[in-house]
Amino acid sequence: MNRSVFPDIVDIKPANMEELTEVITAAECHPLQCNVFVYSSSKGTIRLCDTRAAALCDRQSKFFEEPEDPSSRSFFSEIISSISDVKFSHSGRYMMTRDYLSVKVWDLNMENRPVETYQVHEYLRSKLCSLYENDCIFDKFECCWNGSDSAIMTGSYNNFFRMFDRNTRRDITLEASRESSKPRATLKPRKVSTGGKRKKDEISVDSLDFNKKILHTAWHPKDNVIAVAATNNLYIFQDKIN
């Protein structure tokens, strides 16, 4: 590759690869300011850079990181804090990041903590050991905004995907399956039970299929149409039209 055509913008590679402690996991350009971009890392940090300040953006303009609660630290803390996706809102005011258990919304003017945090599948926290053993803990989930930035969506296991309304703070779990992909079929909310007793329409956390996962999601920029990829199937759903 010709480096004069494709120059390095960010280089965090250490001189000795044995000293490598952090890698870039995702990056995106600002939707309105072509000189601004962000990139996330495996350490759960996000750096905002401005190419007008320097051609090589090894020193960020802004550094976003949420302080970790020492009381909740465990062997898996660093792994699950790794950011798998980062997306600017259409307005350019916010950005959204996805780590293993949650989605966070950040105001670009506030670096010390996110303004919103949504738990995607908190019930898996007790399953981290088995998820580590089967390598699922390293899965990279994407996230996306709807056209008006009022709702966000991301994937989970068992072909579930989660949607969060930022205004009402309501959330819903839906499933992408062959039954739900039939024409005019209505998606029914799904719930995961973590206790001993579960209701008829609930699924036990121990029954979740971790081989079925929705890593990729997309929302139409104008219409209420979504697309989710489940293994080798692509599902497209549209809001009910009266």
Side-chain angles (χ1 to χ4, degrees):
M1 183 178 290
N2 189 331
R3 291 173 64 89
S4 63
V5 179
F6 299 100
D8 286 336
I9 298 177
V10 176
D11 186 3
I12 62 172
K13 181 181 177 181
N16 183 356
M17 287 301 289
E18 293 182 356
E19 299 174 359
L20 183 68
T21 60
E22 183 178 20
V23 297
I24 296 173
T25 55
E28 181 165 89
C29 292
H30 194 279
L32 304 177
Q33 303 174 42
C34 62
N35 53 288
V36 174
F37 71 95
V38 293
Y39 68 92
S40 59
S41 84
S42 55
K43 286 192 172 182
T45 61
I46 311 101
R47 294 172 172 86
L48 184 142
C49 302
D50 190 338
T51 56
R52 292 178 303 181
L56 185 62
C57 300
D58 285 350
R59 293 185 179 181
Q60 70 279 351
S61 299
K62 292 186 178 183
F63 182 81
F64 300 84
E65 182 179 28
E66 183 175 26
E68 183 185 12
D69 182 0
S71 63
S72 63
R73 182 164 181 80
S74 70
F75 170 79
F76 306 106
S77 294
E78 187 169 326
I79 301 174
I80 63 175
S81 66
S82 176
I83 294 173
S84 56
D85 197 17
V86 56
K87 291 283 188 355
F88 279 111
S89 63
H90 295 86
S91 67
R93 169 70 185 275
Y94 302 95
M95 66 178 174
M96 169 173 52
T97 59
R98 171 69 205 263
D99 55 48
Y100 190 67
L101 294 178
S102 65
V103 171
K104 297 173 181 177
V105 175
W106 302 76
D107 188 322
L108 295 189
N109 297 319
M110 190 167 73
E111 302 171 56
N112 61 332
R113 62 181 177 86
V115 291
E116 301 164 26
T117 299
Y118 302 95
Q119 301 300 333
V120 178
H121 38 215
E122 183 65 17
Y123 46 78
L124 294 183
R125 191 174 291 275
S126 62
K127 304 289 182 182
L128 293 180
C129 186
S130 58
L131 290 166
Y132 177 80
E133 292 173 352
N134 63 17
D135 284 344
C136 283
I137 200 171
F138 301 106
D139 286 334
K140 308 300 182 186
F141 293 95
E142 294 179 357
C143 53
C144 62
W145 301 85
N146 71 339
S148 63
D149 297 334
S150 63
I152 56 182
M153 176 173 61
T154 191
S156 183
Y157 294 104
N158 210 72
N159 280 3
F160 288 168
F161 58 98
R162 303 268 283 140
M163 304 175 81
F164 303 92
D165 188 308
R166 298 181 60 210
N167 296 323
T168 64
R169 294 304 177 97
R170 293 181 178 178
D171 62 88
I172 190 172
T173 301
L174 301 170
E175 181 182 5
S177 64
R178 292 188 178 275
E179 291 72 22
S180 63
S181 63
K182 294 178 181 178
R184 298 183 180 178
T186 301
L187 291 177
K188 297 180 179 179
R190 301 303 305 267
K191 291 185 178 181
V192 177
S193 171
T194 56
K197 293 183 178 181
R198 61 185 178 90
K199 298 179 181 179
K200 184 179 180 180
D201 59 340
E202 291 182 337
I203 181 172
S204 169
V205 65
D206 296 318
S207 301
L208 296 175
D209 189 342
F210 295 107
N211 292 316
K212 294 180 179 179
K213 60 193 79 172
I214 292 180
L215 301 179
H216 310 289
T217 58
W219 208 314
H220 193 281
K222 295 182 179 179
D223 300 328
N224 217 6
V225 178
I226 61 171
V228 297
T231 316
N232 59 341
N233 295 311
L234 176 66
Y235 297 90
I236 297 178
F237 301 107
Q238 183 176 16
D239 195 14
K240 187 177 180 181
I241 301 176
N242 295 322

